[in-house]
Amino acid sequence: MGIRYYAYAFEGDVTDQVLSDPRSVVSADPLADAWGLEPGVRISRTTFEQAVSERDMLYLDKAWRHLQVLTAPLRAGIAARPAFRMFEGSVTMHDEGWDPWVRALTPSEVLAIAQDLDEVSDGEVGLRLPVSSHVDRVLEVDYAVGYLRRARTFAKNLADDGRGMVYLIG
């Protein structure tokens, strides 16, 4: 299935509670939420429509890695863009698979991220993504740009509403 990215919004007034237990905001079955599957069922039909409102959940599929590269520092010693906080992290691999990365972002962090994502142009995606001999470049860039736009919208809506978010890479 692969490692995917899921983010869930939370109300600003519960920030302290969420910071102490970020997993409390994440669904028990985020893939079901993202793909419209019946939660907890191993075999199910999907609607391929997100079951959770797009104002409450962001699904970046496997494009999180592209957005991580896009917002990461250009070289060692350079600070990351504020938006990097939204994509930073990686799973911890072990013999039985992996443990996910989970992070909570406060409403003030989300505001800084939203402002920064607004400054990232779609054109930067093609300039920053590494070239791969295994994937059609145009399709890869279009894939990443589509998810960048979703991330921009999600962060802007959260910032406008004074909400925070918890994301899971796993």
Side-chain angles (χ1 to χ4, degrees):
M1 290 291 296
I3 297 167
R4 300 172 192 277
Y5 178 108
Y6 313 90
Y8 291 85
F10 65 85
E11 299 302 324
D13 62 348
V14 296
T15 298
D16 290 338
Q17 177 186 342
V18 172
L19 290 174
S20 69
D21 184 14
R23 289 297 296 249
S24 67
V25 175
V26 178
S27 166
D29 194 345
L31 186 62
D33 292 344
W35 283 10
L37 295 165
E38 194 174 331
V41 176
R42 293 187 57 85
I43 298 175
S44 174
R45 285 203 169 120
T46 180
T47 63
F48 290 106
E49 292 180 22
Q50 193 167 298
V52 177
S53 154
E54 289 186 5
R55 289 188 73 83
D56 295 327
M57 180 188 182
L58 173 66
Y59 172 61
L60 295 178
D61 192 37
K62 297 175 185 176
W64 66 272
R65 183 67 182 118
H66 297 328
L67 302 181
Q68 190 178 71
V69 168
L70 177 67
T71 58
L74 290 170
R75 60 186 173 282
I78 303 283
R81 315 179 60 108
F84 184 63
R85 291 273 302 157
M86 184 173 173
F87 310 112
E88 181 180 21
S90 61
V91 299
T92 302
M93 300 301 291
H94 51 75
D95 291 340
E96 298 174 17
W98 63 79
D99 293 326
W101 169 276
V102 180
R103 170 179 280 160
L105 297 169
T106 66
S108 61
E109 289 175 300
V110 170
L111 176 60
I113 289 165
Q115 291 168 341
D116 188 42
L117 282 176
D118 198 41
E119 295 177 14
V120 178
S121 73
D122 292 354
E124 285 181 67
V125 175
L127 298 173
R128 293 282 312 267
L129 289 185
V131 176
S132 168
S133 60
H134 305 296
V135 180
D136 179 289
R137 182 72 176 165
V138 172
L139 291 177
E140 183 176 31
V141 169
D142 287 349
Y143 173 77
V145 167
Y147 282 105
L148 171 62
R149 290 175 180 165
R150 286 184 185 188
R152 258 191 221 122
T153 299
F154 184 72
K156 181 187 180 324
N157 288 340
L158 292 182
D160 288 349
D161 295 343
R163 299 170 85 196
M165 65 179 269
V166 172
Y167 70 91
L168 178 142
I169 298 172

